[in-house]
Amino acid sequence: MSRLKNFSIITFILFLVGFIIQLGNESKLKELTQLNYTNDKNRFLNTNSKFSQVRVRDFMFYQCGDVKRIGGKKDFIANAPDELFRIDGAWYICLDSRAKPEKSKCNVLSLGVNHDMSFDEEMHSSFECRVFSFDPFVEDKKFKVLRDSNPSLEYSPILKVDDRWIFYRVGIIGQTNNTKDLSNLKIKDLISFDEILDLTKLRDKVIDVLKMDIEGPEKDVIKNLDMNYACKYIKAFVFETHVRSKFADLVKLEKCFRLFWRHTRFREGNTRGPTGHLAGFQNPEDWALKMKNFHNELNLAEFMFTNGELYFVNINFI
């Protein structure tokens, strides 16, 4: 009995000592955890840290209830299996609520036409928009016929199709050193977005669709885009990106724009089919994504979110 009593006392003492040690350890653990958390927090908040620049996520999305494909050559349209299938030369607009271009009162700024002006033409005919088409290096047959019809237009950077459609043989760039206006504008000049607003007299007017397909400089154009102005006056911003574009270059658009449509491209080079150049998901057996071009899965995810055609609508007009 005496031994049992002594054993109970010893057990109690050991338990008490262990409890005290445990409290000390927990206090020390809490202190170390807080220290590590503080260090990690400071490290991640450090603007010089690489981690602060990584935002591998998709753009905020808007579920547009009425998406319409605009443009595309007749044979591509005929070969498309449905009205929303991607075809060459076509772009998509959201027709929800106030985001819809108001017929005969809308403005379309089309930067980069190449040899396919079908989008511009349909916005001009179906919605009766005022269309301002830009391309510094390529002149579609329709515009060339107009130029050749009048010798005085041989070196003119501006061709007036009619009262609601003007073609400018100039392009856009992020920033310019020399101010350009009607007095000194020449064919193949590259001008800023601000200069385009003044040239077209669109400043402080709503642009229903800003379409940009300029084969690379889009990164610099967006970098220099005044988002306060864009959020007030641009209803829809649709454009094509290229390998140089990163999520960090485009995320500023989320100030007021939401993605409502996208076509990601996986193939390098030209892959053509009955509807023109193919988007990745239209021909998965012919993907040619070179994994060696991506450092890790984060780079791959960023590519998928940002490469191809991106379609944004301004939530201030919804």
Side-chain angles (χ1 to χ4, degrees):
M1 187 73 174
S2 176
R3 289 182 179 179
L4 181 60
K5 183 177 180 181
N6 290 338
F7 177 78
S8 298
I9 293 173
I10 293 172
T11 301
F12 175 74
I13 292 173
L14 291 175
F15 172 78
L16 185 60
V17 171
F19 178 73
I20 294 172
I21 292 174
Q22 179 67 20
L23 284 177
N25 288 341
E26 287 184 356
S27 177
K28 185 65 176 178
L29 179 62
K30 183 177 181 181
E31 180 183 342
L32 289 173
T33 302
Q34 183 64 37
L35 179 62
N36 289 336
Y37 170 77
T38 303
N39 289 339
D40 286 345
K41 183 179 180 182
N42 291 335
R43 177 161 58 89
F44 285 115
L45 288 178
N46 184 353
T47 55
N48 293 324
S49 169
K50 294 181 180 179
F51 288 99
S52 66
Q53 305 304 317
V54 176
R55 295 188 64 182
V56 183
R57 65 167 177 83
D58 200 354
F59 296 101
M60 288 189 279
F61 198 82
Y62 171 71
Q63 190 69 45
C64 179
D66 191 0
V67 178
K68 183 175 178 61
R69 186 185 66 204
I70 303 291
K73 296 180 179 179
K74 291 182 178 180
D75 54 336
F76 293 163
I77 295 174
N79 290 324
D82 57 68
E83 294 181 352
L84 291 179
F85 190 85
R86 184 201 173 276
I87 60 177
D88 246 8
W91 295 80
Y92 298 80
I93 61 174
C94 179
L95 300 182
D96 283 2
S97 188
R98 294 188 301 128
K100 178 180 180 178
E102 188 175 356
K103 191 169 184 177
S104 76
K105 296 181 180 181
C106 45
N107 296 307
V108 174
L109 183 53
S110 178
L111 307 176
V113 179
N114 208 311
H115 289 293
D116 189 347
M117 60 173 193
S118 58
F119 173 82
D120 303 42
E121 195 166 40
E122 187 170 343
M123 292 301 299
H124 172 263
S125 60
S126 297
F127 290 90
E128 299 179 7
C129 294
R130 291 197 308 158
V131 178
F132 304 87
S133 306
F134 285 75
D135 201 300
F137 307 120
V138 180
E139 196 164 279
D140 187 87
K141 183 179 180 180
K142 182 182 183 73
F143 304 135
K144 185 172 175 53
V145 169
L146 180 61
R147 184 183 299 281
D148 293 343
S149 68
N150 188 338
S152 66
L153 297 176
E154 183 178 0
Y155 300 107
S156 174
I158 302 174
L159 299 176
K160 186 176 180 180
V161 180
D162 58 33
D163 290 338
R164 292 184 291 108
W165 192 358
I166 301 177
F167 172 70
Y168 299 82
R169 186 72 185 272
V170 297
I172 188 171
I173 196 171
Q175 287 182 320
T176 55
N177 296 323
N178 301 316
T179 302
K180 293 285 185 178
D181 55 33
L182 285 175
S183 65
N184 60 0
L185 192 67
K186 302 187 299 296
I187 286 177
K188 296 184 180 181
D189 273 345
L190 300 178
I191 61 179
S192 69
F193 182 70
D194 277 345
E195 289 171 322
I196 285 178
L197 291 177
D198 292 332
L199 182 64
T200 57
K201 298 181 179 179
L202 284 174
R203 184 171 295 281
D204 297 333
K205 294 180 181 178
V206 172
I207 298 174
D208 293 78
V209 183
L210 170 56
K211 187 218 78 180
M212 185 167 64
D213 186 2
I214 55 177
E215 304 304 323
E218 66 277 351
K219 175 180 177 178
D220 295 325
V221 172
I222 293 173
K223 178 182 178 181
N224 289 280
L225 183 64
D226 181 349
M227 287 308 301
N228 290 326
Y229 184 91
C231 289
K232 186 175 182 180
Y233 291 108
I234 300 175
K235 278 188 181 183
F237 186 17
V238 304
F239 56 93
E240 182 185 71
T241 65
H242 299 80
V243 177
R244 288 181 62 231
S245 295
K246 304 296 181 184
F247 189 87
D249 303 325
L250 307 176
V251 72
K252 64 180 289 187
L253 297 176
E254 289 190 336
K255 179 179 177 69
C256 62
F257 289 97
R258 299 293 181 267
L259 191 74
F260 72 90
W261 201 261
R262 167 174 44 212
H263 282 297
T264 303
R265 295 182 180 177
F266 291 101
R267 169 164 277 279
E268 296 183 6
N270 294 324
T271 304
R272 298 188 63 84
T275 56
H277 290 85
L278 298 175
F281 291 103
Q282 292 177 347
N283 191 16
E285 295 181 358
D286 198 30
W287 287 1
L289 198 63
K290 297 179 180 179
M291 299 306 294
K292 66 180 182 180
N293 293 339
F294 303 98
H295 181 66
N296 53 38
E297 65 274 17
L298 300 182
N299 298 141
L300 176 60
E302 185 175 42
F303 171 87
M304 293 177 64
F305 292 148
T306 60
N307 185 266
E309 297 165 7
L310 300 176
Y311 298 82
F312 289 90
V313 63
N314 191 334
I315 59 175
N316 294 326
F317 291 91
I318 295 175

